[in-house]
Amino acid sequence: DTAVSQTPKYLVTQMGNDKSIKCEQNLGHDTMYWYKQDSKKFLKIMFSYNNKELIINETVPNRFSPKSPDKAHLNLHINSLELGDSAVYFCASSQDLGQVGEQFFGPGTRLTVL
Amino acid sequence: GNSVTQMEGPVTLSEEAFLTINCTYTATGYPSLFWYVQYPGEGLQLLLKATKADDKGSNKGFEATYRKETTSFHLEKGSVQVSDSAVYFCALKDSGAGSYQLTFGKGTKLSVIP
């Protein structure tokens, strides 16, 4: 039974399109995260939510909008996709904000913008 | 601010060789330290952790000791296997109140050849 799942696993789209990536965790955790990993494997935090409340909102273009309908879900919507958005996006969760060091990661969504 | 510096990769070793991946950090206060591993095509997984000076984290034959005097948390394994081929990330969590994110190093890719 997958702990943190993401859909889709691969996403190929044209510049200018709008797309969403979904994330669900069945661990009962309070805190969820979105990361972007570039081609050199560098990992950058984008957002974190705790009990549906936005906690971290790093310097990310406002074309990226997270939405947390409930504690178990954190979706990422991206408007007007650009070539530079191509990357692997990871969702993660932790039990709560205090357990930020012990995160469970999803399998990633590889986004390719053409 | 906080930072984590890892040795540049890639690192290529023969099976059964000894592994060291260096990690040093800069932080205010007394951070907790972590090693994560990312196998090809997967999300990150927590490998081991240490929460205070002189603690040793260990898991799956890997070890790392929290050295406050040298601000280091080097990852070691006595005998690597092909299945250890992955990218390894060192990370820290600041001890300060309101510290709700991990600071990751840039990752070190390890390839183990038979």
Side-chain angles (χ1 to χ4, degrees), chain B residues 1-6 23-33 66-68 70-73 90-95 102-105:
Chain B
N2 299 330
S3 67
V4 174
T5 303
Q6 291 182 232
C23 171
T24 57
Y25 67 88
T26 302
T28 54
Y30 303 94
S32 297
L33 301 171
Y66 187 160
R67 302 279 187 207
K68 187 171 182 296
T70 54
T71 61
S72 65
F73 192 54
C90 185
L92 75 80
K93 172 187 175 303
D94 199 283
S95 58
L102 283 178
T103 300
F104 283 95

Side-chain angles (χ1 to χ4, degrees), chain A:
Chain A
D1 205 13
T2 306
V4 182
S5 59
Q6 295 178 228
T7 53
K9 189 165 175 61
Y10 300 97
L11 186 52
V12 180
T13 188
Q14 300 286 332
M15 266 197 318
N17 284 351
D18 303 338
K19 291 293 179 186
S20 291
I21 306 172
K22 295 187 176 182
C23 177
E24 176 181 3
Q25 54 94 4
N26 63 6
L27 297 167
H29 287 172
D30 287 347
T31 310
M32 297 184 72
Y33 311 83
W34 275 111
Y35 289 89
K36 178 180 180 181
Q37 186 176 50
D38 65 22
S39 59
K40 295 184 178 179
K41 301 293 188 183
F42 182 65
L43 204 61
K44 178 185 173 185
I45 181 76
M46 300 173 70
F47 304 102
S48 75
Y49 271 72
N50 187 61
N51 280 321
K52 304 196 301 175
E53 179 187 351
L54 181 65
I55 301 297
I56 291 174
N57 185 357
E58 289 293 298
T59 309
V60 174
N62 58 15
R63 299 182 293 104
F64 290 79
S65 54
K67 284 190 171 50
S68 182
D70 55 57
K71 248 176 40 167
H73 296 85
L74 180 62
N75 303 322
L76 184 65
H77 188 75
I78 316 170
N79 288 328
S80 304
L81 279 155
E82 300 177 358
L83 293 176
D85 298 332
S86 295
V88 181
Y89 292 84
F90 287 100
C91 177
S93 72
S94 65
Q95 186 168 348
D96 51 44
L97 285 172
Q99 299 300 316
V100 65
E102 300 187 40
Q103 295 183 29
F104 292 76
F105 281 74
T109 296
R110 181 175 293 276
L111 171 65
T112 303
V113 182
L114 303 175

